[in-house]
Amino acid sequence: MATPDDTRNFDIDVLVIGGGNAGLAAALSAREAGASVMVLEGAPKEFRGGNSRHTRNLRAMHDAPTEVLTDSYPEDEFVNDIIKVTGGQTNEPLLRSTIRASAKCTDWMKKQGVRFQHAMGGTLHLGRTNAFFLGGGKAMMNAYFASAQRAGIRVLYNAEVTGLDIVDGVFRSATVMIDGKPTQIKAKTMIAAAGGFESNVAWLTEAWGPAAENFLIRGTPYNMGKVLKCLIECGVESIGDPTQGHCVAIDARAPKFDGGIVTRLDCVSLGIVVNKNGERFYDEGEDFWPKRYAIWGRLVAQQPEQIGHCIIDSKAMGKFMPSVFPPTKAMTIAELAKAEGLPVEQVVATVKAYNDAVQPGTFNHSIQDDCKTSGLKVEKTHWALKIDQPPYYAYSLRPGITFTYLGVKVNERAEILLKNGKTGRNIFAAGEIMAGSILGKGYAAGFGVTIGTVFGRIAGTEAAARALKMNDICDEKKEVSLHAAN
């Protein structure tokens, strides 16, 4: 790490703020285009990579089978999947351009050393739509950083950005804490890829109220939203609802931060979920889990004390990826309710009413089957089997925030837009910090990595082109000055 100084001009073409998937995709793409690049990573080296450390896969369009994806996943189906989960709260032109670009992501990632598993099978329903990283997100990020080192990209760790100097849409420098001292770093262009504000509980509380105190943060504790706040204060146009985000139902015993994928619960569609009063509140079988898991965190957040309880029986065990924590187990529903601290009579009545409403059908968790309920206030439309085979199991649920959707507004070139309607001249954004430009609410598995990879590559290429053009202009001015002097 460089020795602290008041102001440092490293002669940087592209300064990337953030060391996750989007940031490294931007840095590598800018370097490929011939620019000099520096990455500022706010975390220590051991925790580099932001939320990308916890990712598993990338959702990608493809018109035919590939080495890592089965069948096809055409543009219109992909678009419809996102429109469905967002309820139409998306920018469709931006969405379509992202989806088209996703078709080239896996090949580009392979060139950076990222390795993929064979297509997934089983109850996740993702083998056709999502490419899984061999070794998960941490392996992906390690491959990126190794590629960056080979390419001569400079990375500063523990480099927390505390301020941005942006005047009339022109980035001039960033104030960065290095070795505990504020340092000014200049660059010709800047790419913001520093994530949302999900780790900032005070900011979450501003948006959600006291309920936010019961939220768990699935990812990095370093995404405090400082860069986002600085950009907004500098006149950048914001987009998105601060209460919207990628929020899933996770094990209530998960740590406050950094629990990752192992705390997610995938048993919801195989059972029922009740709140602290022992009452069901939403259709557990509405759609395939990868298209619905991200709404369940918000649903639980709206329940009393932000807690839910998933109840299943022995028939469901082995059919889902379990949490790292073992479930509560009992031989009767009454005993299970008592062990979970729930009102026993109400839970027993809820399970009985559900069982009585289950209709005959052929269970098949790989399709939207005909197993449903009839006559309930809250129906279950698929995968409805009676909860009648002991032992019975329960998992307690809390809202798990992955990332927030309040962000900066961008165009198809990843250029940040300003409140005055103009475009920032040399500032770009990629990843979670701009995902609200596409995701108004809801989520589909792997799409965050898609957005980060696509816009990281776009931002890197565009920023490099802008910086190199500035270099050419400077060189021309120098030549003119030399001729005039001679």
Side-chain angles (χ1 to χ4, degrees), residues 255-308:
K256 185 67 175 179
F257 296 98
D258 243 349
I261 191 67
V262 295
T263 63
R264 197 177 96 185
L265 290 172
D266 292 339
C267 54
V268 168
S269 61
L270 292 163
I272 62 171
V273 178
V274 300
N275 59 22
K276 68 164 289 190
N277 300 321
E279 299 168 336
R280 291 178 62 239
F281 51 89
Y282 198 80
D283 178 3
E284 301 91 351
E286 184 179 34
D287 205 342
F288 290 122
W289 189 237
K291 297 180 184 179
R292 282 294 176 269
Y293 79 102
I295 71 169
W296 273 88
R298 190 175 184 83
L299 290 170
V300 172
Q302 294 166 342
Q303 299 307 304
E305 297 182 15
Q306 297 73 54
I307 190 79

Side-chain angles (χ1 to χ4, degrees), residues 67-70 115-121 127 130-134:
E67 287 183 316
V68 296
L69 293 161
T70 62
R115 299 173 66 190
F116 291 87
Q117 299 181 34
H118 295 298
M120 296 288 285
N130 291 50
F132 279 71
F133 312 125
L134 185 63

Side-chain angles (χ1 to χ4, degrees), residues 51 85 197-198 204 208 211-219 241-251 256 260-261 263-266 268 281-282 289-303 306-307 397-406 432 435 439-446 448:
N51 287 339
V85 298
F197 68 90
E198 64 276 1
L204 289 175
W208 275 91
E213 295 294 333
N214 287 325
F215 294 176
L216 303 175
I217 315 305
R218 299 176 72 209
D241 181 342
T243 70
Q244 292 288 351
H246 182 353
C247 179
V248 310
I250 67 173
D251 198 301
K256 185 67 175 179
I261 191 67
T263 63
R264 197 177 96 185
L265 290 172
D266 292 339
V268 168
F281 51 89
Y282 198 80
W289 189 237
K291 297 180 184 179
R292 282 294 176 269
Y293 79 102
I295 71 169
W296 273 88
R298 190 175 184 83
L299 290 170
V300 172
Q302 294 166 342
Q303 299 307 304
Q306 297 73 54
I307 190 79
L397 310 173
R398 286 282 187 198
I401 308 292
T402 308
F403 65 92
T404 45
Y405 289 175
L406 174 68
E432 294 172 2
L439 289 168
K441 68 174 185 178
Y443 190 71

Side-chain angles (χ1 to χ4, degrees), residues 133-148:
F133 312 125
L134 185 63
K138 190 167 186 178
M140 172 188 70
M141 292 311 306
N142 286 343
Y144 275 157
F145 277 104
S147 185

Side-chain angles (χ1 to χ4, degrees), residues 24-43:
L24 268 293
L28 290 163
S29 297
R31 190 75 187 103
E32 287 175 341
S36 61
V37 183
M38 174 178 282
V39 175
L40 302 179
E41 168 59 282

Side-chain angles (χ1 to χ4, degrees), residues 180-195:
K181 297 180 181 179
T183 301
Q184 190 180 51
I185 297 180
K186 297 180 178 180
K188 298 181 182 69
T189 61
M190 184 272 286
I191 299 172

